[in-house]
Amino acid sequence: MTNKSLRNFNSLKFEYSCESFLEVTSYEDLFKLSKEIRKSKTKYWILGEGTNVVILNDLKGIVIKNRLLGITITDNSVESASGENWDDLVKVCLQKKLYGFENLSGIPGSVGGSPIQNIGAYGVEVSNFIDYVETINLDTGNLEVFNFEECKFSYRESIFKKLPNLFITKIKFSLSKVFKPNLAYESIPKDIEISSAEEVRSIILKIRNERLTKPEAQPNVGSFFKNPIISKTHLDKLLSDYSDLKFYFINENQYKISAAWLIEKIGMKGYEMKDCGVSKKHSLVLVNFSQKSENIVDLSNKIKNEIVEKFEVELENEPTFIS
Ligand SMILES: Cc1cc2nc3c(=O)[nH]c(=O)nc-3n(C[C@H](O)[C@H](O)[C@H](O)COP(=O)(O)OP(=O)(O)OC[C@H]3O[C@@H](n4cnc5c(N)ncnc54)[C@H](O)[C@@H]3O)c2cc1C
């Protein structure tokens, strides 16, 4: 389809269009597309459910919308096509009494989007369960499989962020047949008895519901910034000025600090600008009410500049910007 509006395909609800929009439902579609791309040298972008992209303008090229479906479960191993919805996969695994995904309940997006930024929530990351990620390299037409080490997962990072020519087709996960609740994360209440993974899932969904803003009500991409990682020297300097700074140990010389805390400290929680703002519920979430990206990009830059000035800390964007 040509000149299609992308409004219903990105959770910020930007009204940009693409020259060409193609929905892929099979590997054959992808191999054929790869041939065409190599011949025509057309620019392309891969789209899952559009919950972690910031589209900056009309896209001059092909948007490839993922519709690959199918889940196969054998024993404790789960193979999922990348076009499946992430939370549907979490539900299916719980129904099959396979455990591990419960803390990742309610994260929007596709299964194929999950390894890109190594989705994480409430003390768990998807990389904890990934055996391999299968891809089709659209620039060569080759099938390429990445084992766990080759995926180079870290906090909201993977090799795939640097290789946008790889279309993730399938992911193999290993889950546990034994339910072991992971309740260490600070915002999970400690005073309730947990006897099932379903209970953990409902607690997580309740917390998410209270803290996060649904894109249907206020268009957003979840966290707009990553939590910055700083050195021990920098941390000590900040702690001497701000004893209430929220931070987490990574290793002896690396500490993660809370980007939400930084934004609150510059007084921008709930801040409103023209057609966009910082969520009143969660200061890492920027909400958009405009059809174009300029305002939210200005707002994100304003936040970054104020934080550099006050704390000498650089915030990094979490979503992928595409143009
Ligand atoms: C309300 C809300 C809450 C959120 N909460 C969390 C959270 O708790 N934790 C968290 O980690 N994230 C969270 N996110 C971010 C988002 O849900 C995840 O990043 C999700 O994995 C994105 O999946 P998607 O299919 O929507 O990807 P898209 O937004 O469509 O794409 C994101 C990037 O991945 C690439 N991509 C997508 N699919 C493929 C594929 N098959 N092959 C190759 N590249 C692909 C795209 O090209 C793009 O660069 C939240 C977002 C929202 C809106």
Side-chain angles (χ1 to χ4, degrees):
M1 187 178 282
T2 51
N3 277 328
K4 188 174 172 78
S5 162
L6 295 171
R7 184 172 162 78
N8 293 329
F9 298 94
N10 75 101
S11 65
L12 280 167
K13 295 282 169 207
F14 290 144
E15 181 65 274
Y16 289 117
S17 66
C18 60
E19 254 174 10
S20 178
F21 185 83
L22 189 76
E23 306 196 33
V24 288
T25 58
S26 67
Y27 284 34
E28 288 68 39
D29 286 349
L30 285 163
F31 289 127
K32 202 170 143 220
L33 174 67
S34 166
K35 258 193 195 156
E36 280 165 19
I37 287 171
R38 271 174 284 156
K39 220 160 90 190
S40 63
K41 306 251 182 296
T42 313
K43 210 170 162 187
Y44 60 87
W45 297 267
I46 300 163
L47 202 60
E49 295 186 20
T51 64
N52 211 25
V53 285
V54 179
I55 305 173
L56 294 175
N57 45 247
D58 290 332
L59 300 176
K60 305 239 171 304
I62 312 173
V63 166
I64 308 162
K65 166 78 182 150
N66 186 4
R67 300 267 187 216
L68 299 181
L69 296 178
I71 298 173
T72 311
I73 298 183
T74 321
D75 208 25
N76 71 324
S77 95
V78 177
E79 281 188 358
S80 174
S82 55
E84 291 286 346
N85 172 266
W86 170 259
D87 198 50
D88 286 349
L89 179 67
V90 174
K91 279 187 271 184
V92 167
C93 293
L94 279 182
Q95 279 158 10
K96 297 280 180 195
K97 303 204 179 318
L98 289 176
Y99 306 114
F101 283 163
E102 26 319 325
N103 290 37
L104 301 176
S105 292
I107 300 182
S110 61
V111 168
S114 71
I116 303 285
Q117 70 154 0
N118 183 17
I119 57 166
Y122 305 98
V124 175
E125 289 180 332
V126 72
S127 57
N128 301 154
F129 312 100
I130 291 182
D131 289 339
Y132 67 75
V133 174
E134 180 197 83
T135 70
I136 291 177
N137 185 330
L138 294 175
D139 288 351
T140 63
N142 293 336
L143 197 83
E144 296 177 14
V145 179
F146 290 71
N147 66 28
F148 173 79
E149 278 80 26
E150 289 165 336
C151 292
K152 297 205 187 328
F153 290 119
S154 60
Y155 166 65
R156 298 297 174 275
E157 270 300 331
S158 73
I159 187 90
F160 307 109
K161 270 204 169 174
K162 294 172 195 81
L163 298 171
N165 53 315
L166 298 180
F167 188 107
I168 294 174
T169 43
K170 184 167 77 179
I171 303 177
K172 180 169 173 290
F173 305 94
S174 282
L175 293 179
S176 173
K177 289 183 166 184
V178 184
F179 168 56
K180 243 197 259 153
N182 181 342
L183 308 173
Y185 200 78
E186 53 181 5
S187 51
I188 303 179
K190 304 287 176 283
D191 53 349
I192 26 177
E193 286 260 316
I194 302 272
S195 56
S196 73
E198 285 73 12
E199 276 173 335
V200 176
R201 173 172 166 82
S202 20
I203 290 169
I204 298 292
L205 290 178
K206 186 165 176 282
I207 303 175
R208 292 186 71 91
N209 207 21
E210 283 163 6
R211 301 211 167 165
L212 294 169
T213 308
K214 288 214 159 47
E216 300 79 44
Q218 295 193 317
N220 73 83
V221 281
S223 299
F224 207 91
F225 305 106
K226 293 184 189 178
N227 286 318
I229 294 172
I230 61 170
S231 68
K232 171 93 171 70
T233 322
H234 197 165
L235 177 77
D236 288 342
K237 188 166 170 270
L238 287 175
L239 280 174
S240 65
D241 292 333
Y242 308 97
S243 56
D244 59 333
L245 171 68
K246 263 195 177 172
F247 66 95
Y248 313 90
F249 176 85
I250 297 179
N251 60 44
E252 274 178 14
N253 196 36
Q254 284 194 308
Y255 290 79
K256 197 193 278 177
I257 59 172
S258 159
W261 182 94
L262 296 171
I263 295 171
E264 276 162 41
K265 273 283 159 186
I266 56 165
M268 286 189 75
K269 186 173 184 176
Y271 178 86
E272 283 174 21
M273 245 172 80
K274 195 168 173 277
D275 289 334
C276 65
V278 180
S279 164
K280 291 185 175 66
K281 283 184 166 183
H282 198 310
S283 53
L284 265 189
V285 177
L286 304 190
V287 291
N288 169 57
F289 303 106
S290 154
Q291 300 198 337
K292 304 286 172 206
S293 59
E294 284 89 10
N295 294 332
I296 216 162
V297 171
D298 284 353
L299 174 59
S300 69
N301 287 335
K302 180 176 165 62
I303 293 171
K304 284 179 177 175
N305 290 340
E306 291 199 17
I307 285 182
V308 167
E309 228 167 83
K310 195 170 169 85
F311 305 104
E312 290 177 34
V313 171
E314 297 220 9
L315 286 188
E316 210 183 306
N317 297 325
E318 191 179 290
T320 308
F321 283 52
I322 57 180
S323 61

